[in-house]
Amino acid sequence: MSETATATAATPAAPAAPNRRLPSTLRIGLSRAAMETRLFFREREAVIFTFSFPIVLLVLFGSIFAGDLEGTGITVSQLYTAGLIGAGVMSVSFQNLGITIAVERDAGVLKRLAGTPMPRTAYFIGKTLNVLLLSVLEIAILLAIGVLMYDLDLPSEAGRWVTFAWVFVLGVSGAALLGIAVSSLPRTAKSAAAVITTPFVVLQFVSGVYIPITQLPGWLIDIASVFPLRWMCQGFRAAFLGDAGVSLELAKSYELDKVALVLGAWVIAGLLLCLTTFRWKSRRDG
Amino acid sequence: MTATTAIKVRGLTKSYGDVQAVRGIDLDIRAGEVFAVLGPNGAGKSTTVEILEGHRKRDGGEVSVLSVDPGRPTREWRSRIGVVLQTIEEAGDATVREMVRHFARYYPDPRDPDEVIEQVGLAEKAGTRVRELSGGQRRRVDVALGIIGRPELLFLDEPTTGFDPEARRRFWELISGLSDDGTTIVLTTHYLDEAEALADRVAVIAWGRIVAEGDPHTLGGRATAKASVSWSQDGVRHSVETGTPSRTVAELARRFDGEVPELAVTRPTLEDIYLKLIETPAAAGQEAGDE
């Protein structure tokens, strides 16, 4: 390695020495993940806005709506824990990525990266690992609050953990890919938060996070059913509430086959959207 | 010894819709030289440089940058060039040292991050977050990130816009130092004094063409153009245009018997030449042949 360095330094204009090995994509991806994560927690607004928001809401709702849901043995707080895990995952994936990538693109950060030998895949590896880590942390905190404050029982059967695992993987992947795709929509960094957050808040209201989906009009349920959040929340309820909560569902079933189908479809759709629409330059840059 | 060519461009064209931004540009930039690209906004200057940087696709012509077609950039090629874009409005929470160290990981044979930070004059700010730096200091971070990979060729896009005069001088020293180390530098700028201070050669791009190219001190017949000799007499400023300024000064010295009050001899500045070059499309074609 040091021999290469001297050779290159001595003849700066000479063609690159053949043994100049580029760092591997994975190594750069891991380095980006570490950097992204460190910087995320350094930026107070982002931590509060995307990370702590579902946690604050859970504590708030849990304190306001104490009590049981008729004939199920499940409390309102427990229901909120499951729903807010879905919203929390979407917050650190979809909302977080949608806004930060839009800001990075507008500021020229992406264009600068595109001018370096960083493999483009490494950028997405960094974002993905960062989102996975944040999601796991978010879920751990929400579950800890649910268990400690609201008597949520963690699933004891392996089957429900398996359900949790695949809902988590499909849900995070789909929401993250969708977040990367929608980052191209805001025209400027300033509008990014509004453009990304508004539909996300609406989606939370119609997807059964705050209001049970059974109380919504049919047409609203139809709209919500197109998007992944409703199904992610349903999947998490299956994992954390189990049989006791099944009577609260719209279909009196968790419909796990449909959950898998819709979340899986969004992973594929999100990937296609990213591949076809992702831009490294801002809109005014052409 | 024949200098190797770093950049070779033949018949480059690029249109945006109906607008022809670049209409047939030829360029040869030698390895090791500092080359400045001048031109008004919208003249094709940025488009040309972005094509060379591999940031934009061309419509036609041949382009070779370090013997590689930038229309098909590879990681290996990118590791040999450095690109310092126009303003990056990133208000980063990373410190200078974190940023430079992180970017070093992208390259096969990076410079030492601490040395680079020292070189751009930010040693005292290494632990400071980029967000808290002044505009000039942030620009130095941009340059640090541009040179961390030990590039053979460095692109600098309007590097000193918004600098105060002192910061600009310090920045010029930095660029001269890089050039002395053998780095080929392609610079775009709106400051003619910057081009004159730094560049071995300049090209003026207007209406999508190169209207003049050469040594900034002789560009557009600058060295042989008539000089202006001016002085003061009885509180009145006098001035004559002459092709033989030395003779005029000698005559004046005789007339005043020694010191000529407030004597000044000036040639057209690069700015005068530049403004004339970009004035009319018709006049432009011939000027290029002067060199």
Side-chain angles (χ1 to χ4, degrees), chain B residues 97-134:
Chain B
R97 191 182 290 116
E98 282 174 328
M99 286 280 273
V100 178
R101 280 193 184 160
H102 176 71
F103 271 68
R105 297 209 174 94
Y106 299 166
Y107 294 89
D109 179 27
R111 288 189 162 104
D112 176 63
D114 290 321
E115 270 173 34
V116 168
I117 292 169
E118 170 85 43
Q119 195 180 0
V120 300
L122 286 175
E124 284 168 23
K125 296 283 177 187
T128 307
R129 293 185 187 187
V130 176
R131 184 195 285 282
E132 286 151 21
L133 299 178
S134 72

Side-chain angles (χ1 to χ4, degrees), chain A residues 1 23 32 42 111 117 281, chain B residues 50 55 75 98 106 108 142:
Chain A
M1 199 64 212
R32 284 210 58 84
R42 206 174 279 177
K111 192 178 176 187
K281 292 190 276 190
Chain B
E50 289 200 330
H55 274 315
R75 284 183 67 200
E98 282 174 328
Y106 299 166
D142 292 341

Side-chain angles (χ1 to χ4, degrees), chain A residues 1 5 8 12-16 20-23 25 28 31-32 35 38-39 42-43 107-109 111-119 281 285-286, chain B residues 4 31 50 55-56 75-76 78-80 83 85 87-90 93-95 98-99 102-103 105-109 129 131 142 145 150 152 181-182:
Chain A
M1 199 64 212
T8 321
R20 273 178 29 142
R21 285 272 305 273
L22 288 157
T25 302
I28 297 177
S31 169
R32 284 210 58 84
M35 183 86 165
R38 195 181 326 155
L39 295 183
R42 206 174 279 177
E43 199 183 338
V109 174
K111 192 178 176 187
R112 172 159 71 191
L113 286 176
T116 73
M118 178 203 76
K281 292 190 276 190
D285 208 352
Chain B
T4 40
E50 289 200 330
H55 274 315
R56 205 173 278 285
R75 284 183 67 200
E76 197 276 329
R78 289 229 177 268
S79 75
R80 295 164 62 203
V83 178
L85 299 168
T87 49
I88 293 189
E89 295 139 29
E90 180 187 32
D93 278 297
T95 66
E98 282 174 328
M99 286 280 273
H102 176 71
F103 271 68
R105 297 209 174 94
Y106 299 166
Y107 294 89
D109 179 27
R129 293 185 187 187
R131 184 195 285 282
D142 292 341
L145 300 181
R150 211 185 291 277
E152 296 160 44
D181 291 344

